[in-house]
Amino acid sequence: MRKLLILLPGLIFAVLSYGQTQPAVVDSFKRQIKEAVTIEKKIELTGFLSKVLMNVNPAEAEKYGLEMIEMAETTRDRRLMIVALLSNGERYSFLAGRKDNIEKATSYYDQALEIAKQNKLDSQIVRTCLLLSELSRNIPDNNKALDYCNQANSYSVMLKSDSITARVHLEYGSVYLAKNDKLLALRNFFAAVRIAEDL
């Protein structure tokens, strides 16, 4: 109880100061976007800005999200287009408690997956499948999550990248934990740890 009383003023201050500093954070991102030299940096910063605005001003967040996609499409760089779509999907997946947000996140992820598959961008396919798996766990639809995880795993084997393989094992662990299969979850978490230690 004493610890709670000590923490309470700090929590109240943090909540109150959050509301005051929000415009400063938004203005900082807007300034950095104007100053960005490369299109990659502009897209990255616009993605961050749209995510920050999602809780405060969803309409403005959507505006920047769509701007980011347009920027990426003008480059015709498939990787940048996927980055923009995934960033928008993540923006909606953060608020996965609502059905319409899940649908929008899924739509952006599906578009990214289609582009990645058409252009044989295996690492982007893995990343997108892992995000779809995570989103499916949040619904929850653990069987669908496992399907996406299996897809990610099949592509990660071809990539032969230890860091990507570790991410796949972590997602497998989370999926099996959600399915209440603790032994398989533990095995996958340990496999990820072993890869991390080797790296």
Side-chain angles (χ1 to χ4, degrees), residues 1 22 46 51 69 73 86 122 126 191:
M1 185 68 178
Q22 192 68 24
T46 306
K51 287 173 189 172
I69 291 172
E73 285 177 347
L86 292 182
D122 292 347
V126 173

Side-chain angles (χ1 to χ4, degrees), residues 179-193:
K179 288 171 74 72
N180 205 27
D181 193 335
K182 294 184 174 112
L183 185 59
L184 278 175
L186 192 62
R187 281 181 187 164
N188 279 281
F189 286 139
F190 275 145
V193 169

Side-chain angles (χ1 to χ4, degrees), residues 111-161:
Q111 289 174 63
L113 187 59
E114 188 179 333
I115 293 170
K117 284 183 174 178
Q118 284 172 355
N119 294 278
K120 297 180 173 61
L121 301 170
D122 292 347
S123 61
Q124 301 293 341
I125 293 171
V126 173
R127 183 175 175 214
T128 308
C129 285
L130 291 176
L131 287 168
L132 280 161
S133 176
E134 183 184 341
L135 185 64
S136 299
R137 278 192 292 112
N138 291 333
I139 292 175
D141 187 341
N142 296 324
N143 290 328
K144 201 171 188 180
L146 186 58
D147 286 342
Y148 283 122
C149 215
N150 288 332
Q151 284 183 55
N153 185 48
S154 65
Y155 281 96
S156 72
V157 169
M158 292 185 286
L159 287 168
K160 295 177 183 173
S161 165

